[in-house]
Amino acid sequence: CLSLGEEVVRPLAETISTDVSDRVRDRLSLILVSFGQAGRRQVERLKNSENPAVRRTAIMLLREFGGEEALPELTEMLRDRSPQIQREAVRAILNIGSRRALEVLQAAIIHGSVESRETIMKSLASIRDDRAAPMFGFIISHVDHKGELLPLYLSAIEALGSLKSPDGVESLREALYRGEWWAPRRTASLRSAAAASLARIATPEALEVLEQALSGGPRGVRSAVRPHMSSARSRQKPR
């Protein structure tokens, strides 16, 4: 195909858009990627297909070509009517990994519909490696922990504990000390969640945050940390 030249790029994209098997579509997509920017220009045709499998192919191409120039198309696909397409778009944006990429996901989470927000958060939570940790930390630092976004903020805290990523320690320390005296129940709930996640991470850095909070933190912070200290020490991981 490469020896035939760029004249075959358009027919390749048209064939991918037809009702072929997943195996054939994956093979043709790899050939399309090998054409570089000539293949990249076919993404617009594929991402507007009525076939979800073809739209997934568009995301695969964007992921392969990489770079922040793919963010506008991936942002559009975060609003796709298919939750599966939304999940694939989330993964592709995380693979880019830049601050701008995180800001795109943050905007989609904050300004999207409730259903879209839940899909994106579930997609993030399903990625069981450190790629998702910066996004959850970004949510803690930039998303309001009050009002309708409270469940989102709490989910980010709990997700960092589930990932057990050392990269989440600083964000959890921030969450541990955040709160308002006029909302004691909410503040206590968030601080307890942050302390529990730090205890699950259980690195020396996480344990240090808990011990400092217990010895010198405000009373509410000490109360939140105290129940989790024994589990944190028992899980402590070496440097």
Side-chain angles (χ1 to χ4, degrees), residues 121 125 136 139-140 149-162 190 193 197:
M121 289 300 293
F136 291 123
I139 289 172
I140 291 173
L149 295 179
L150 173 60
L152 171 64
Y153 186 89
L154 184 59
S155 294
I157 291 174
E158 294 171 345
L160 284 177
S162 297
L190 293 176
S197 288

Side-chain angles (χ1 to χ4, degrees), residues 4-199:
L4 291 172
E6 293 185 5
E7 290 80 3
V8 302
V9 169
R10 184 182 180 90
L12 277 172
E14 290 174 348
T15 304
I16 289 172
S17 300
T18 62
D19 189 20
V20 296
S21 69
D22 289 343
R23 182 178 180 183
V24 171
R25 184 178 292 109
D26 290 345
R27 181 61 176 161
L28 293 177
S29 298
L30 290 174
I31 297 173
L32 196 59
V33 167
S34 68
F35 277 95
Q37 284 303 311
R40 170 72 172 77
R41 288 192 289 271
Q42 299 301 314
V43 166
E44 188 70 24
R45 170 195 301 273
L46 299 175
K47 74 183 180 67
N48 292 323
S49 169
E50 289 297 315
N51 187 338
V54 176
R55 299 202 300 278
R56 287 199 298 274
T57 297
I59 292 177
M60 186 274 283
L61 291 173
L62 291 169
R63 187 169 60 240
E64 289 294 328
F65 290 118
E68 289 193 348
E69 62 271 16
L71 282 175
E73 287 114 327
L74 290 171
T75 301
E76 183 179 343
M77 300 190 84
L78 285 174
R79 299 187 292 271
D80 194 277
R81 58 187 177 276
S82 166
Q84 185 174 2
I85 300 299
Q86 291 180 17
R87 288 192 292 269
E88 292 295 331
V90 168
R91 290 174 180 271
I93 292 172
L94 279 181
N95 281 337
I96 295 173
S98 66
R99 181 179 178 86
R100 184 182 167 203
L102 297 182
E103 289 173 346
V104 164
L105 282 178
Q106 179 202 13
I109 291 169
I110 294 176
H111 302 299
S113 65
V114 174
E115 294 78 8
S116 177
R117 182 185 303 164
E118 290 178 352
T119 297
I120 293 173
M121 289 300 293
K122 287 179 180 177
S123 300
L124 290 169
S126 70
I127 301 174
R128 295 296 177 180
D129 60 45
D130 288 349
R131 286 180 301 154
M135 184 66 239
F136 291 123
F138 198 83
I139 289 172
I140 291 173
S141 298
H142 295 84
V143 170
D144 193 357
H145 62 286
K146 305 181 291 295
E148 66 175 11
L149 295 179
L150 173 60
L152 171 64
Y153 186 89
L154 184 59
S155 294
I157 291 174
E158 294 171 345
L160 284 177
S162 297
L163 288 173
K164 300 181 181 179
S165 171
D167 294 336
V169 171
E170 183 57 32
S171 296
L172 290 171
R173 187 199 68 79
E174 179 182 340
L176 182 62
Y177 285 87
R178 182 172 292 172
E180 296 81 26
W181 62 266
W182 61 85
R185 290 186 179 179
R186 180 184 66 212
T187 297
S189 175
L190 293 176
R191 286 176 173 173
S192 177
S197 288
L198 285 165

